[in-house]
């Protein structure tokens, strides 16, 4: 691991204790473990670490595992925060001879960190400060694979991203602003060291098993799946299921969504397949001019949530967010909440100028840069922020999937769909369908899925792989790489440790049961019924009952607190 | 949870995979819920409490095949490795515990197996299926293990004969008492062509039910579709064929909508079959004798190792072609397309049967029942021939 102190400019390579790797795997787990101690500091405190951690599968041909997690504390949510990202950056980190980079301190001047297998140096980056992500990436790409912040991160936008040069984002929680507060514009990596595989035959067998399951999964390799259409393949499905958040979640069906469906994007932009390093699925789509095309969440939130059905305007909004380095979901949802407060959603032409105002904190942009919760409170309309723990909800209306409703609230990083990802069984029927309009069993399902995904985020593999494969095959891949025995149950137990550690940090930072709650709208207003589908408001009492069950299953008290205040001390 | 337990208890008896009175369930919410035979449900709960899973089925299979396979396994082996598609794709192998290995803490031993697999066999107890997400998933894993073991036993007996003293009698009882003839008798079919979506959906739901009831597929596998007006109406992925109401996706031929992303993984095969045959109805099931017979190949010195995906030959089971190819995007669609035009039937190696109906489902259903009846007859013909030839004769052809 490389430890960098930007205040002093000192850098050293240190060994990660093997017992931490076996207890936390890597990625999210390792990063969360390394956050212990500084977890109570302000996200902008120079001593707050920003951790880039790969996992044990990274650098091998294990499908979808050229990923890393970036971990710190979120300035948007105040929670422990991690985000998994693909591209080529994680692979290069491994190839530079590193498993992780831990960055602390604050540089006096803007700098970039350059790392190769031969060594590392801190480069002056005054000339890059103020530049867009694209400009920064182009300036540094001669040195390798780049992760950079844009003006949003420099200016402390609370939902600013760290962007990978290939267009992948470390999104949602504002880690770009944490990086910006350190005066760190970019990290650039190069190297070509291979990752050893202990048992090649075992690894190859497991890899073949994974690939067979990918091919058997209609969501992954089906003719209507994400390999063909990218995640916008979900647009038509969410429309049909009547759970596409529309007009700041006042409705759940948007008649204009056909304008930005998977097939519509393909027809307008070509949508060439593009993937993270070595990924067979290649769900990223690129326009014929090379621009990365937007994901499902992005098209739906810049679309339905803001009542916009102009595909080109949506794609331009995505481009702007990528260039300024900020999160599309939070940006679009904040604009939508703001639109509702003033009685008018932004017109397609107003969006990009507003995004620029946010990135540079100009005019109304200064308020919008705080995210929807702070913005709505400042306007005296707190109920308009459709967020949990200040994180704006993505494009799955919780009234249309009750596991999702619960998972938004139990997620340790705020209203995120990816922690437990119940969309997989509630909507996509993988690995099996569950009843989306029932709370029955959901507390247990969500708890298990959170643990599984914490392990997945620590390996680090892509969530989409699990539309086909399961931990069974990934445990085998891990066994092949390490030569040790791994089974799904053991990985789930690691995941459980990670989830509880995050929750413990959050509890120490003042989070309580009342923070595990949805905006009141979802308990009061119905969604848009039709086609034989009713979308009633969520039953608050039943929701509360299931939340209590979740706490009990997690071994917590009914108020969501830890019965054992020394929990953390007992963890490895 | 209780309702779910009752539902799957009924299913396990109706599909005749579990012995009456010998089915136990456990499901954990914030507390453990048990149902069924008390000894089995207690054991299931004990196993489940040690795993990060939601539900568990523990049941004695109606046929002794899983048990016999364990006893036939060479000393030192700890897992069955059936070669059918369900095992290869989802189960990988089926770990087992012999009676003597259960020790003082059988639940702990069984949980250790299930910490790494979806299903397992414990000699003297039965099959365990674990469900991470739902109880239905536990039922499916039970059902997969049952199916795989059934097919493997058929094949092993044909290849190696009876190895244990009690096998002959058990097999005779299976043949004479358990088996019922696959047929379409007494079923009502709507004559095609069908045009109206409501009618198509109702017919698909009925045919799905028939296919399960007549033993041509286990409830959670197989798929079914009908094509009308430029749209394929196809059962959804992971849908139970006997519960298709609300689980059919309309998929337009021109892909103008991707709402069918939840359609069966065999959508590509259905599309290719419609292209090749111009038929209106397609039925796909996993009838057990057809699956077993598809894997019996007499070819000597063949260099192909992974027959299920690499075999380039078209073999014949009577007038039905057998081809290789893995599910979904794994090649099956293309290989079935090549051969199904001639007879409207095709068997996929180690997997199952596709049949078509030019107007409605009756033709497809009768064809599938016919393929299974023919495979069953041929199976017993070979078995009887083998036994007449004596124990020295171990080739199946
Ligand atoms: Zn099949």
């Amino acid at each position: 691991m490389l430890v960098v102190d930007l205040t002093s400019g000192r850098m050293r390579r240190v060994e990660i204790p093997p017992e931490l790797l076996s207890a936390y795997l890597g990625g999210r787990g390792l990063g969360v473990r390394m956050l212990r101690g500084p977890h109570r500091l302000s996200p902008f405190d120079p001593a707050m670490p920003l951790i880039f951690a790969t996992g044990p599968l990274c650098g091998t041909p294990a499908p979808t595992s050229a990923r890393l997690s970036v971990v710190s504390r979120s300035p948007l949510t105040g929670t422990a925060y991690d985000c998994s990202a693909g591209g080529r950056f994680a692979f290069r980190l491994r190839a530079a001879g590193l498993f992780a980079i831990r960055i602390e301190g604050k540089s006096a001047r803007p700098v970039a960190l350059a790392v190769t297998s031969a060594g590392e140096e801190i480069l002056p980056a005054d000339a890059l400060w103020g530049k867009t992500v694209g400009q920064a990436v182009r300036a540094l790409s001669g040195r390798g694979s780049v992760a950079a912040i844009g003006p949003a991160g420099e200016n402390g936008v609370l939902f600013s991203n760290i962007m990978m040069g290939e267009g992948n984002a470390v999104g949602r929680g504002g880690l770009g602003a944490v990086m910006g507060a350190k005066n760190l514009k970019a990290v650039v990596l190069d190297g070509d060291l291979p990752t050893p595989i202990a048992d090649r035959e075992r690894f190859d067998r497991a890899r073949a098993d994974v690939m067979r399951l990918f091919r058997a999964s209609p969501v992954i390799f089906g003719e209507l799946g994400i390999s063909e259409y990218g995640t916008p393949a979900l647009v038509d499905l969410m429309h049909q299921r009547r759970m596409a958040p529309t007009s700041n979640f006042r409705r759940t069906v948007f008649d204009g969504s056909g304008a930005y469906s998977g097939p519509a994007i393909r027809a307008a932009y070509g949508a060439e397949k593009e993937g993270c390093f070595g990924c067979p699925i290649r769900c990223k789509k690129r326009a014929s001019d090379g621009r990365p095309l937007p994901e499902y969440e992005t098209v739906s939130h810049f679309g339905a949530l803001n009542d916009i059905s102009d595909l080109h305007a949506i794609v331009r909004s995505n481009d702007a967010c990528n260039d300024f380095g900020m999160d599309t979901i939070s940006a679009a949802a904040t604009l939508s909440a703001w639109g509702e407060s003033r009685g008018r959603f932004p017109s397609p032409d107003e969006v990009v100028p507003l995004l620029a105002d946010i990135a540079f904190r100009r005019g109304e942009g200064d308020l919008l840069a705080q995210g929807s919760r702070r913005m709505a409170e400042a306007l005296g309309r707190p109920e308009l922020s459709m967020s949990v723990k200040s994180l704006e909800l993505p494009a799955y209306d919780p009234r249309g999937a009750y596991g999702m409703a619960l998972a938004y609230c139990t997620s340790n990083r705020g209203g995120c769909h990816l922690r437990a990802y119940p969309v997989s069984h509630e909507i996509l029927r993988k690995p099996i369908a569950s009843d989306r309009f029932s709370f029955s069993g959901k507390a247990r399902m969500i708890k298990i899925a959170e643990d599984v995904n914490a392990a997945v985020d620590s390996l680090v593999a892509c969530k989409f792989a699990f539309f086909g494969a399961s931990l069974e095959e990934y445990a085998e891949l891990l066994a092949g790489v390490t030569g040790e025995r791994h089974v799904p149950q053991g990985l789930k137990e690691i995941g459980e440790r990670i989830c509880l550690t995050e929750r413990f940090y959050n509890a120490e930072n003042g989070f309580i049961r009342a923070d595990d709650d949805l905006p009141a709208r979802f308990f009061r207003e119905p969604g848009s019924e039709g086609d034989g589908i009713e979308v009633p408001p969520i039953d608050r009492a039943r929701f509360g009952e299931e939340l209590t069950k979740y706490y009990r299953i997690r071994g917590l008290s009914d108020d969501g607190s830890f019965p054992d205040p020394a929990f953390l001390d007992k963890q490895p | 949870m209780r309702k779910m337990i009752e539902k799957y208890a009924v299913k396990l008896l109706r599909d005749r995979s579990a012995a009456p009175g010998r089915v136990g369930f456990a499901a954990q919410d914030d507390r453990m819920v048990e149902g069924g035979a008390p000894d089995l449900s207690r054991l299931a709960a004990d196993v489940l409490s040690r795993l990060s899973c939601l539900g568990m089925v523990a049941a004695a299979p109606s046929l002794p095949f899983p048990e016999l396979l364990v006893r036939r396994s060479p000393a030192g082996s700890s897992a069955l490795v059936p070669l059918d598609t369900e095992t290869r794709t989802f189960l990988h192998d089926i770990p087992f515990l012999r009676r003597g290995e259960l020790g003082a803490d059988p639940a702990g031993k069984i949980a250790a197996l299930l910490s790494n697999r979806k299903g397992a066999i414990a000699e003297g107890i039965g099959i365990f299926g674990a469900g991470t997400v739902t109880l239905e998933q536990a039922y499916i894993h039970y059902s997969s293990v049952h199916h795989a073991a059934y097919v493997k036993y058929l094949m092993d007996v044909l290849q190696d004969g009876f190895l244990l003293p009690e096998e002959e009698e058990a097999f005779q009882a299976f043949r004479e008492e358990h088996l019922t003839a696959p047929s379409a008798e007494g079923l009502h079919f709507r004559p095609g062509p069908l045009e109206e979506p409501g009618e198509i959906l109702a017919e698909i739901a009925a045919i799905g039910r028939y296919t399960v009831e007549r033993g041509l597929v286990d409830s959670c596998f197989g798929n079914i579709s009908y094509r009308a007006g430029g749209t394929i109406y196809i059962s959804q992925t992971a849908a139970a064929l006997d519960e298709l109401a609300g689980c059919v996706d309309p998929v337009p031929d021109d892909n103008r909508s991707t709402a069918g992303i939840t359609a069966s993984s065999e959508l590509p095969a259905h599309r290719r079959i419609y292209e090749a045959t111009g038929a209106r109805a397609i039925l796909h099931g996993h009838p057990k004798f057809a699956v077993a017979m598809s894997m019996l190949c007499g070819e000597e010195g063949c260099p192909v190792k992974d027959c299920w995906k690499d075999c380039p030959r078209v073999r014949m089971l009577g007038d039905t072609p057998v081809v290789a190819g893995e599910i979904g995007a794994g090649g099956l669609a293309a290989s079935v397309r090549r051969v199904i035009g001639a007879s409207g039937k095709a068997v996929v190696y180690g997997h199952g049967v596709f049949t078509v109906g030019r107007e409605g489902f009756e033709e497809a259903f009768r064809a599938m029942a016919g393929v299974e009846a023919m495979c069953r007859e041929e199976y017993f013909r070979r078995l009887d021939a083998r036994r007449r030839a004596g124990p020295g004769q171990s080739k199946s052809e």
Side-chain angles (χ1 to χ4, degrees), chain B residues 11 60 93 116 131 147 177 204 208 219 283 285 300 318 345 352 388:
Chain B
K11 277 200 157 196
D93 60 27
N116 192 36
H147 176 85
E177 292 156 34
I204 287 177
S219 134
L283 189 55
E300 304 268 359
K345 302 180 285 190
R388 272 196 304 277

Side-chain angles (χ1 to χ4, degrees), chain B residues 222-223 266 284 286 351:
Chain B
N223 37 73
E266 299 304 1
H284 168 56
H286 297 177
H351 176 170

Side-chain angles (χ1 to χ4, degrees), chain A residues 54-67:
Chain A
T54 66
L57 299 181
C58 187
T60 75
T64 80
S65 63
R67 301 182 72 84

Side-chain angles (χ1 to χ4, degrees), chain A residues 480-501:
Chain A
V481 171
T482 60
E484 299 155 4
R485 182 179 145 84
H486 287 280
V487 298
Q489 178 64 21
L491 296 179
K492 289 180 200 170
E493 286 162 13
I494 290 174
E496 178 173 43
R497 176 181 303 133
I498 296 164
C499 290
L500 284 171
T501 301

